[in-house]
Amino acid sequence: MPGMKPIIELFWQICLLRQSPAYVPTQGLFVALVIVANVIGSLLVSLGFDSEVPLLDTLTSIIVGQTVVALLVLLALALRNVTGRFVATVTAWFGCDLIITACFALVLPISLMLGEVATSLAFLMFLIWSVAVEGFIMQRALGVQLAMGIGVAMAISLLSVAVSQIAVGA
């Protein structure tokens, strides 16, 4: 398994749309670590953003959301007959999500101090960045135009949020 610095750099380069997700390591332990780190990072940021939501509901929502993302990515890859790209694709998706979540965590305290408008604007900017990165990953994985990759990523993201909200009764 490679050291952490090159891995973070790889995910950062994917987040900047400069590196293909095909280069993401796919060893089982690495994939598991990325998934667990993403769950923990998402949980910490979610609790920092809204501490009123019960911990179990937040954790359930995150895990259900990630599961739906993985299943829908697999479905999209199966429709293009490229399921061999699944592990690298979901690892890139969750690794980049972790990087974007960490960046949002750095901005969140400042935006919260500046008020609701600043927080909403920060959230919107990170949402746009996230969808662009996920679209880039799907474009590369599916071998389609970027617009199609972004459309697929948006559909996956919306469905995963919807299902995760249903799972916690929201």
Side-chain angles (χ1 to χ4, degrees), residues 121-141:
L121 185 58
F123 182 77
L124 178 63
M125 297 308 294
F126 278 91
L127 180 65
I128 290 168
W129 182 24
S130 182
V131 169
V133 171
E134 293 160 358
F136 174 73
I137 291 167
M138 294 310 296
Q139 173 216 3
R140 293 296 179 100

Side-chain angles (χ1 to χ4, degrees), residues 35 48 67-68 70 77 91 108 115 118 137 152 156:
I35 292 169
T67 302
V68 172
L77 294 172
T91 305
L108 185 60
I137 291 167
V152 170
I156 289 171

Side-chain angles (χ1 to χ4, degrees), residues 2-168:
M4 287 305 296
K5 186 176 178 188
I7 293 301
I8 292 170
E9 178 67 22
L10 173 63
F11 285 134
W12 179 248
Q13 290 299 314
I14 295 169
C15 286
L16 297 177
L17 314 181
R18 294 181 183 161
Q19 182 64 265
S20 171
Y23 297 105
V24 173
T26 58
Q27 296 90 347
L29 179 59
F30 176 74
V31 173
L33 287 172
V34 168
I35 292 169
V36 169
N38 191 30
V39 169
I40 292 169
S42 296
L43 181 62
L44 292 173
V45 170
S46 294
L47 293 174
F49 190 66
D50 185 5
S51 59
E52 304 274 321
V53 179
L55 175 67
L56 186 57
D57 285 356
T58 302
L59 185 59
T60 300
S61 176
I62 292 166
I63 292 171
V64 168
Q66 280 194 345
T67 302
V68 172
V69 164
L71 290 172
L72 292 173
V73 166
L74 182 59
L75 176 63
L77 294 172
L79 291 172
R80 294 284 293 174
N81 214 14
V82 289
T83 54
R85 299 176 183 172
F86 173 70
V87 176
T89 303
V90 298
T91 305
W93 184 301
F94 293 143
C96 289
D97 184 61
L98 178 59
I99 296 290
I100 293 168
T101 299
C103 290
F104 183 66
L106 294 173
V107 171
L108 185 60
I110 297 166
S111 70
L112 288 171
M113 286 189 301
L114 294 174
E116 190 176 319
V117 172
T119 303
S120 296
L121 185 58
F123 182 77
L124 178 63
M125 297 308 294
F126 278 91
L127 180 65
I128 290 168
W129 182 24
S130 182
V131 169
V133 171
E134 293 160 358
F136 174 73
I137 291 167
M138 294 310 296
Q139 173 216 3
R140 293 296 179 100
L142 296 170
V144 296
Q145 296 292 321
L146 182 57
M148 177 64 82
I150 289 173
V152 170
M154 285 177 60
I156 289 171
S157 294
L158 288 171
L159 285 169
S160 70
V161 167
V163 172
S164 68
Q165 293 301 299
I166 292 168
V168 294

